[in-house]
Amino acid sequence: MYTSSIVPYTYSNPWDVSFEQRFDLLTRGKYRVAYYYATPDTSTFRYRAFNVSQALALGPEESTVSASWFVADDFARMGRVLDSCDALVLCRNSLYNGKVARLAARARTLGRRIYFDVDDLVFDPSYTHLLMDTLNVDLNNDGVWDYWHAYIGRAGATFELADAAIVTNDFLAERAQKWSGKEAKILPNFYNKEQGDISEEIWVCKERDSWSRDEYIHLAYFSGSPSHDRDFSLIADPIAKIMDYDSRVRLIIVGFLNNSTPLSRHSDRVTILSLKDFINLQREIGAVEINLVPLQDNPFTNCKSELKYFEAAIVGAVTVASPTHAYRHAIKQGENGFLSAAHKWKETLEHVISLFDSGSQRELLCRSRQHAMAQYDWRNQKEKIESVFL
């Protein structure tokens, strides 16, 4: 673990601002995009609505497009928003209901273009069983089936209100187009200013301290939600076998995860931390040597973005990921990270650990950071965003 110390930040949501402030953001540009996300959260809302609005408002170059976000609590004032915007984006958690239908109808009457923004395969009912199986939910519980069929059905109904979709990668775009018969435009996820600022501070501290580390090798899994048990099962046994003979190896799990049987014999070397806000999460990632991203290989997981790669790259952690669609495109083997087939995790992790033993990981970390900053920094997104809307 790196010994550089960054004091924990006192976190507050940067999107908790007044309606008038958000309305001002909307009306700054010539082409105005209103995002509607029913209830803000720190994951999809942040990547798909807040980050876009921030990148356009604070970017180094003036943009023709402006954007802002609005939520269910703003519904009584959405008439003013629709009168002032050129496009309405209904995000994935704006599940179909009377209010969403009314918004779309009003937007349609005013001639506004309507988009459905989605970052997961959660609109096509034919994938419901696969999604539930991947998330390892209780398939014998009718209530769970009711929940997921309702969720996907309502998301699909919102999609049907739109003229086109906005998605994170071409794998998801192909499925959105096939299901809806509508155009799907691609806007990859990227990190925001707050993440960039704290990550820069972490990187500078590591450089200042000459990348000093303790005697251990820390592997870390940042689960994010309580639905990744099957993903983690891909790596539990390989990690346990490495820990059998390498006493330096430690495992850190941040977020939600049920106990993994293969690792029970090394429980004294496994640390489980509570879920972190997205700023202090960067501190946790920056403290470890190796960032683990195991994923099952199926249509649902191939629709996911590469965010766990770029958020690790900007703080100097090596990512080892399953070769799903997004990670195959983001990671060049051995140059800015590593990909591992399901049956090769032990071999791949042993190789990455050997880089730290030889001290040769430094160049790879610099390349991955440079790549992440070029492709995923909030200051470099203006043209990509404009290409979606103009």
Side-chain angles (χ1 to χ4, degrees), residues 21-26 33-36 49 53 66-70:
Q21 289 172 291
R22 289 178 282 123
F23 186 79
D24 177 67
L25 284 179
L26 174 69
V33 181
Y35 279 81
Y36 185 77
S53 303
S66 60
S68 192
W69 64 96
F70 302 93

Side-chain angles (χ1 to χ4, degrees), residues 51 64 68 146 170 262 324 337:
N51 287 7
T64 302
S68 192
D146 289 344
D170 53 2
T324 56

Side-chain angles (χ1 to χ4, degrees), residues 34-302:
Y35 279 81
Y36 185 77
Y37 197 101
T39 305
D41 56 44
T42 60
S43 55
T44 298
F45 164 76
R46 172 163 52 97
Y47 293 109
R48 306 307 297 168
F50 175 77
N51 287 7
V52 174
S53 303
Q54 182 190 72
L56 293 172
L58 302 182
E61 299 178 11
E62 185 176 354
S63 175
T64 302
V65 179
S66 60
S68 192
W69 64 96
F70 302 93
V71 299
D73 288 345
D74 299 319
F75 186 78
R77 293 176 284 193
M78 286 303 294
R80 183 179 168 196
V81 172
L82 292 176
D83 287 341
S84 303
C85 73
D86 297 285
L88 172 67
V89 180
L90 299 172
C91 296
R92 62 171 280 184
N93 98 321
S94 299
L95 301 177
Y96 188 96
N97 60 22
K99 289 183 176 181
V100 170
R102 285 166 60 190
L103 279 180
R106 174 69 184 274
R108 185 78 60 205
T109 299
L110 293 171
R112 309 303 184 228
R113 186 159 175 80
I114 304 173
Y115 293 91
F116 177 65
D117 187 285
V118 65
D119 58 351
D120 260 332
L121 188 54
V122 292
F123 50 82
D124 182 348
S126 68
Y127 287 102
T128 303
H129 196 136
L130 173 64
L131 181 153
M132 293 174 62
D133 189 61
T134 301
L135 298 181
N136 198 31
V137 299
D138 184 1
L139 299 180
N140 294 314
N141 186 326
D142 284 346
V144 175
W145 283 100
D146 289 344
Y147 171 82
W148 280 110
H149 269 284
Y151 183 100
I152 292 172
R154 291 176 66 191
T158 301
F159 192 170
E160 289 179 338
L161 298 173
D163 301 301
I166 305 173
V167 301
T168 49
N169 62 49
D170 53 2
F171 191 96
L172 181 54
E174 181 180 346
R175 276 141 189 82
Q177 291 170 333
K178 182 179 180 180
W179 182 79
S180 68
K182 301 174 182 180
E183 181 182 18
K185 298 191 174 185
I186 299 171
L187 181 60
N189 282 335
F190 55 90
Y191 62 87
N192 60 33
K193 182 179 184 299
E194 289 78 9
Q195 283 176 296
D197 288 347
I198 183 63
S199 299
E200 175 70 18
E201 186 175 348
I202 293 167
W203 183 272
V204 168
C205 284
K206 285 182 165 182
E207 293 268 80
R208 180 199 64 204
D209 297 339
S210 301
W211 295 77
S212 60
R213 299 171 38 245
D214 61 25
E215 67 270 31
Y216 302 111
I217 297 287
H218 293 82
L219 314 180
Y221 181 65
F222 301 94
S223 67
S225 73
S227 57
H228 295 290
D229 291 348
R230 288 199 171 174
D231 291 330
F232 187 77
S233 68
L234 295 172
I235 60 174
D237 187 60
I239 292 173
K241 288 179 178 177
I242 292 174
M243 295 174 85
D244 285 342
Y245 68 82
D246 193 335
S247 61
R248 301 170 304 160
V249 173
R250 300 290 188 271
L251 175 65
I252 296 176
I253 297 170
V254 178
F256 306 93
L257 196 70
N258 292 326
N259 291 331
S260 181
T261 301
L263 286 161
S264 60
R265 63 184 183 269
H266 298 298
S267 58
D268 60 325
R269 291 154 63 189
V270 177
T271 300
I272 299 179
L273 303 176
S274 62
L275 194 64
K276 307 296 179 182
D277 63 74
F278 75 94
I279 298 299
N280 286 295
L281 180 62
Q282 292 301 109
R283 294 177 57 255
E284 300 294 346
I285 301 172
V288 305
E289 287 83 3
I290 302 172
N291 170 49
L292 306 169
V293 191
L295 289 164
Q296 301 162 74
D297 186 3
N298 61 45
F300 178 71
T301 57
N302 276 282

Side-chain angles (χ1 to χ4, degrees), residues 336-348:
N336 62 339
F338 293 88
L339 300 170
S340 180
H343 64 288
K344 289 192 173 182
W345 272 94
K346 182 174 179 290
E347 175 185 331
T348 304

Side-chain angles (χ1 to χ4, degrees), residues 311-380:
E311 291 178 345
I314 57 177
V315 291
V318 178
T319 292
V320 184
S322 295
T324 56
H325 181 83
Y327 288 99
R328 287 199 309 272
H329 284 75
I331 294 175
K332 294 184 178 179
Q333 186 77 342
E335 292 187 23
N336 62 339
F338 293 88
L339 300 170
S340 180
H343 64 288
K344 289 192 173 182
W345 272 94
K346 182 174 179 290
E347 175 185 331
T348 304
L349 289 175
E350 287 172 334
H351 173 68
V352 177
I353 290 170
S354 74
L355 297 181
F356 287 89
D357 291 337
S358 65
S360 57
Q361 81 282 5
R362 180 75 176 84
E363 290 184 3
L364 183 146
L365 291 172
C366 288
R367 287 193 299 267
S368 63
R369 177 172 164 80
Q370 290 167 359
H371 173 252
M373 291 181 68
Q375 293 297 317
Y376 306 105
D377 187 273
W378 63 277
R379 289 164 291 196
N380 299 330

